[in-house]
Amino acid sequence: MPKTQVYNMDGQVIGDIELNDDIFAVEVNVNAMHTAVKNQLANMRQGTQSTKTKSEVSGGGKKPWRQKGTGRARQGSTRSAQWTGGGIVLGPKPRSYSYTIPKKVKRLALKSALTSKVNENELTVLEALKFDVIKTKQMVDVLNNLKVDTTALVVIDAKDEIIYRSIRNIEGVKLAYVNTINVYDLLKYDRLIITKDAVTKVEEVYA
């Protein structure tokens, strides 16, 4: 089992924790992670883009000129695609880009992302993360104590409004819960800071 140090909020090492091999020491599957990230980004797309077709643009009620005798090509309406201001042929219309991938692939991708954090020494385990009052400076001090000078994903085991509101205004730092972690965020943020209780819960949920 991989072992990592446990820190308190002052940045001091207070012990070690053994991580589950089935979660934090799997063979990293890059293809599964790529598939999961593509799926998440596709599901995030709104798909609201829209262009007007010939039937939706304004004007063009009258035939531009008579059918024969002008020497020009026949035209039925200025709303046709070849006219400036005319309709768009085969343009984008509102649609859903979302699709599903197998649960096994999603689970493998998440385990691979967590394992990669361990392999690259980008995982920091906190004994606990608890504030009495909402104060962004407290969270900034914790990050400084842990020597976090890059982007960071902070994972806790359950919703905590005080922690959420203390973190939300810090640039480059995001709060997540065990049931909301995803491959995209794990790969996007340079450091993963996770509480000891959250590690236990991750191992229970994804083992």
Side-chain angles (χ1 to χ4, degrees):
M1 286 188 175
K3 184 181 289 187
T4 188
Q5 294 176 324
V6 178
Y7 296 82
N8 60 17
M9 293 198 298
D10 295 324
Q12 300 168 335
V13 178
I14 59 173
D16 295 325
I17 183 174
E18 288 189 345
L19 303 173
N20 192 325
D21 284 343
D22 295 332
I23 305 293
F24 296 96
V26 301
E27 183 179 348
V28 176
N29 190 312
V30 177
N31 184 58
M33 291 192 292
H34 178 253
T35 300
V37 170
K38 272 179 55 182
N39 173 247
Q40 186 175 347
L41 292 177
N43 293 346
M44 287 167 60
R45 292 186 68 175
Q46 291 184 326
T48 55
Q49 72 275 43
S50 181
T51 54
K52 289 184 178 182
T53 63
K54 179 178 177 179
S55 64
E56 294 170 323
V57 295
S58 60
K62 181 183 177 183
K63 187 174 173 68
W65 50 75
R66 57 196 175 94
Q67 183 82 344
K68 295 178 179 292
T70 65
R72 291 178 289 186
R74 68 188 79 179
Q75 300 291 335
S77 171
T78 55
R79 290 188 297 187
S80 298
Q82 69 269 26
W83 286 78
T84 299
I88 302 297
V89 178
L90 303 178
K93 282 293 184 183
R95 54 164 286 197
S96 172
Y97 289 90
S98 64
Y99 63 96
T100 59
I101 60 176
K103 289 182 180 178
K104 286 185 178 180
V105 175
K106 291 174 69 174
R107 189 174 289 259
L108 176 59
L110 188 65
K111 291 179 180 180
S112 295
L114 290 170
T115 298
S116 68
K117 288 298 181 186
V118 176
N119 294 345
E120 296 168 15
N121 295 318
E122 295 177 350
L123 173 69
T124 301
V125 178
L126 270 179
E127 171 66 20
L129 185 61
K130 201 73 179 175
F131 301 140
D132 295 325
V133 294
I134 300 167
K135 199 134 183 103
T136 301
K137 187 178 184 303
Q138 290 183 110
M139 190 63 213
V140 172
D141 289 340
V142 171
L143 295 172
N144 289 335
N145 293 337
L146 296 173
K147 296 181 173 55
V148 176
D149 55 1
T150 57
T151 58
L153 179 67
V154 180
V155 180
I156 58 178
D157 62 312
K159 288 188 177 181
D160 189 315
E161 188 68 17
I162 293 177
I163 295 176
Y164 166 70
R165 294 176 69 179
S166 297
I167 286 179
R168 65 180 178 176
N169 288 330
I170 304 176
E171 186 177 358
V173 180
K174 180 178 178 179
L175 178 68
Y177 308 110
V178 171
N179 62 340
T180 65
I181 57 175
N182 57 76
V183 179
Y184 177 71
D185 283 343
L186 289 171
L187 298 179
K188 176 182 177 181
Y189 293 90
D190 297 325
R191 285 279 292 276
L192 172 61
I193 301 171
I194 183 170
T195 63
K196 198 172 178 180
D197 288 341
V199 170
T200 302
K201 198 165 183 180
V202 165
E203 293 177 343
E204 290 174 356
V205 172
Y206 298 104

